[in-house]
Amino acid sequence: MSKQQRAKLVVGNWKMHGRLAANATLLQAVAQGSGELPADVRVGVCVPGVYLAQTQALLEGSRVEWGVQDVSAFTHGAYTGEVAAPMVTDFGAMLAIVGHSERRAYHRESAELVAVKTQRALEAGLTPIVCVGETLEEREAGSTEQVVGAQLDEVLAKLSAQEAARLVVAYEPVWAIGTGKSATAEQAQAVHAFLRARLAAKGAADVPLLYGGSVKPENAEELFRQPDIDGGLIGGASLKDQDFLAICRAAAVTSVAG
Ligand code: PGA
């Protein structure tokens, strides 16, 4: 499938932000604003799990998909504090971020654990958004492809081609997350092309590849115009309805229908 045939996907990653009142305003604005986007632009939000019921109530019937930022590697049992993927689907969720760099760094999630979480999400019928990305040190050492390749391979090794085809993969350079310093469109495209080739070798060439890391209304369009960038995973800017919707519109103008 060529770039022109792949839909665009923009997903907000709220991280540990939000309260009931602010969420309601944001979700209603996103539901309403996204109604004006062309059909080949998908929009999603990944919220803190405790707000899933609220999110479902406010987004059901809209075109916005929703989900969580992590799932447990276990299906059920004595795992205090964990939330299992099937629980998330009780609230109509479709998406689950796995392997975000903040979880890899602050919760010591290994590549192996991320791969198991991806399997649990798939088994529950969720679309895992598998995050990969290198640190500044790794980039400067010239090992970006080695690092993101190893992170992706660990996941792909556990999946069939059919399962791999159900993934979304997000390239998020650690040095670009929350820093205001996005990768350039050329830097991001180069890594996306590398990831695309890896996925193609697994028989999953059409997996949506999102870029994440300081995506803003000002840089979204240039990023989304790259042949292997199918959309974005948006942190800070997803908390401001007007910014998030502007990024969705940038996806729309770079989509087939746009
Ligand atoms: P940012 O975060 O857009 O705030 O850089 C992106 C992410 O971590 O998913």
Side-chain angles (χ1 to χ4, degrees), residues 10-11 62 66 101 109 124 175 182 184 194-195 203 211 215 242 254:
V10 178
V11 179
S62 82
W66 61 93
S101 63
E109 292 198 6
W175 47 271
S182 165
T184 64
F194 170 79
L195 294 170
Y211 167 78
V215 179
Q242 290 314 314
T254 61

Side-chain angles (χ1 to χ4, degrees), residues 102-233:
E102 287 151 17
R103 296 215 56 92
R104 292 183 196 257
Y106 307 144
H107 302 272
R108 304 225 170 82
E109 292 198 6
S110 65
E112 160 84 20
L113 182 67
V114 172
V116 174
K117 289 185 170 197
T118 304
Q119 287 180 295
R120 293 293 93 82
L122 284 170
E123 283 160 15
L126 293 164
T127 297
I129 302 174
V130 179
C131 300
V132 300
E134 82 289 2
T135 63
L136 186 59
E137 208 176 19
E138 289 162 341
R139 172 162 284 268
E140 285 173 349
S143 49
T144 297
E145 291 190 354
Q146 195 190 322
V147 170
V148 300
Q151 288 170 339
L152 182 62
D153 284 352
E154 188 89 24
V155 172
L156 294 182
K158 286 198 158 39
L159 306 181
S160 67
Q162 287 83 351
E163 288 166 332
R166 291 173 48 210
L167 300 177
V168 169
V169 173
Y171 168 55
E172 298 206 310
V174 178
W175 47 271
I177 295 176
T179 58
K181 186 176 182 281
S182 165
T184 64
E186 294 71 28
Q187 284 173 324
Q189 166 57 26
V191 179
H192 280 232
F194 170 79
L195 294 170
R196 177 86 60 208
R198 275 293 224 270
L199 286 157
K202 181 77 187 181
D206 291 325
V207 158
L209 283 180
L210 310 184
Y211 167 78
S214 298
V215 179
K216 304 177 270 266
E218 303 78 55
N219 61 13
E221 185 176 330
E222 193 191 357
L223 287 159
F224 298 166
R225 281 203 188 283
Q226 302 305 309
D228 289 297
I229 301 185
D230 304 317
L233 184 56

